[in-house]
Amino acid sequence: MFSLIKAEQMKLKRSPIWLAFLIMPVIPAFLGTLNYVANIEILQSEWYSLWTQHTLFTDYFFLPIMIGIYCSYIMRQEENNRNWNKVLTMPVSKNNIFIVKLICTSFMILISEIWIAILFILSGKIVGISSAIPINKLIVWCLFGTLGGIVMASIQLMLSLFIKSFALPIALALAGGLSGLVFLAKNLGHIWPYSLMAYGMNSNAPQELVKTGYLSFVIICFVYILIFMLISSTILNKRDI
């Protein structure tokens, strides 16, 4: 397992996807801050209001695209030079191959969440919010957002086993993010897999996650992750890639 993780890290070491990691979260942070400043008369909850404006753009547009890019890229590497033939003949469990790719993608999502939190704090200071930063809640939102993002990543990695195109899974990730907005509007965000990242980050309301319960959210996420891991592992075990 550790050897597989190390191999994936070497593949990603000089990857261009880090440009997406650095640049893309800046755009929703900028747009969200502008929206907050433009509506500051009605957005009276300071940090909480700024967070909803940031995540409005981040969770439904940019983060799904980023996760789609991460997953497409990490799977696309195996399509190049017939690497699947080498990978699937390695003396390791095919289940571990998918798990390692999900672990590496999950790490990138966590790093992205940290970068999003940093941009959020910087934006709040720039616009002059003087109240205390809700750091404890911010940590919870980013951790739960990471968990919801891992659910999305497990779907996207599975899709990339079927779809050889690099761009199409990214488009599906964006469509999934937009569908998450619809399900959240219908109060079904806690059960739809593409809504869980936004739901975990409290993009719609700061109190929503508390109302439904942290434990139930974690259970739902792990159930989805397990389901998509099992499906993907079955594909790798039964199907010639």
Side-chain angles (χ1 to χ4, degrees), residues 2-241:
F2 289 109
S3 297
L4 287 172
I5 292 174
K6 187 175 180 180
E8 290 294 338
Q9 288 175 336
M10 290 177 66
K11 295 176 187 177
L12 295 170
K13 188 174 182 180
R14 297 182 180 179
S15 167
I17 62 172
W18 292 108
L19 291 174
F21 157 74
L22 288 172
I23 296 172
M24 290 189 69
V26 176
I27 301 172
F30 177 73
L31 294 174
T33 303
L34 284 182
N35 207 40
Y36 171 78
V37 172
N39 297 279
I40 200 167
E41 296 84 3
I42 58 176
L43 298 173
Q44 298 293 319
S45 298
E46 296 191 323
W47 288 109
Y48 297 102
S49 295
L50 180 63
W51 180 253
T52 59
Q53 298 309 300
H54 273 220
T55 53
L56 174 66
F57 295 99
T58 300
D59 288 343
Y60 307 115
F61 301 97
F62 290 91
L63 254 183
I65 292 174
M66 288 174 65
I67 292 174
I69 291 172
Y70 291 161
C71 295
S72 285
Y73 183 84
I74 206 169
M75 284 299 195
R76 186 66 179 174
Q77 293 176 105
E78 311 306 345
E79 299 291 341
N80 297 330
N81 301 316
R82 298 183 178 178
N83 280 351
W84 274 123
N85 295 335
K86 301 174 185 177
V87 171
L88 294 179
T89 55
M90 293 172 60
V92 295
S93 168
K94 293 182 177 63
N95 298 336
N96 288 345
I97 293 172
F98 183 84
I99 292 171
V100 165
K101 291 185 179 296
L102 184 58
I103 289 172
C104 292
T105 307
S106 301
F107 176 74
M108 289 190 284
I109 294 172
L110 176 60
I111 296 298
S112 297
E113 290 280 353
I114 294 172
W115 179 224
I116 288 166
I118 291 171
L119 291 171
F120 166 69
I121 293 171
L122 290 175
S123 299
K125 293 299 183 181
I126 289 171
V127 299
I129 298 177
S130 58
S131 59
I133 302 169
I135 193 68
N136 291 335
K137 291 184 177 180
L138 182 59
I139 290 172
V140 171
W141 296 338
C142 289
L143 287 176
F144 279 61
T146 298
L147 184 56
I150 295 171
V151 174
M152 188 180 295
S154 66
I155 302 172
Q156 291 300 130
L157 288 171
M158 181 192 70
L159 290 175
S160 293
L161 289 173
F162 292 102
I163 304 170
K164 308 304 180 183
S165 166
F166 179 81
L168 183 54
I170 299 172
L172 292 174
L174 175 58
L178 293 173
S179 74
L181 179 60
V182 174
F183 276 82
L184 280 167
K186 295 181 179 296
N187 295 318
L188 296 172
H190 60 294
I191 60 173
W192 178 242
Y194 277 102
S195 298
L196 291 171
M197 180 174 64
Y199 194 83
M201 291 178 73
N202 279 287
S203 65
N204 52 331
Q207 75 280 1
E208 194 69 27
L209 186 59
V210 177
K211 185 169 65 178
T212 56
Y214 296 121
L215 181 59
S216 62
F217 177 83
V218 171
I219 292 172
I220 290 170
C221 286
F222 274 105
V223 168
Y224 272 125
I225 292 168
L226 181 60
I227 289 171
F228 293 117
M229 281 177 54
L230 290 173
I231 294 173
S232 300
S233 297
T234 301
I235 294 170
L236 287 172
N237 277 292
K238 302 292 184 181
R239 186 175 177 182
D240 185 20
I241 301 296

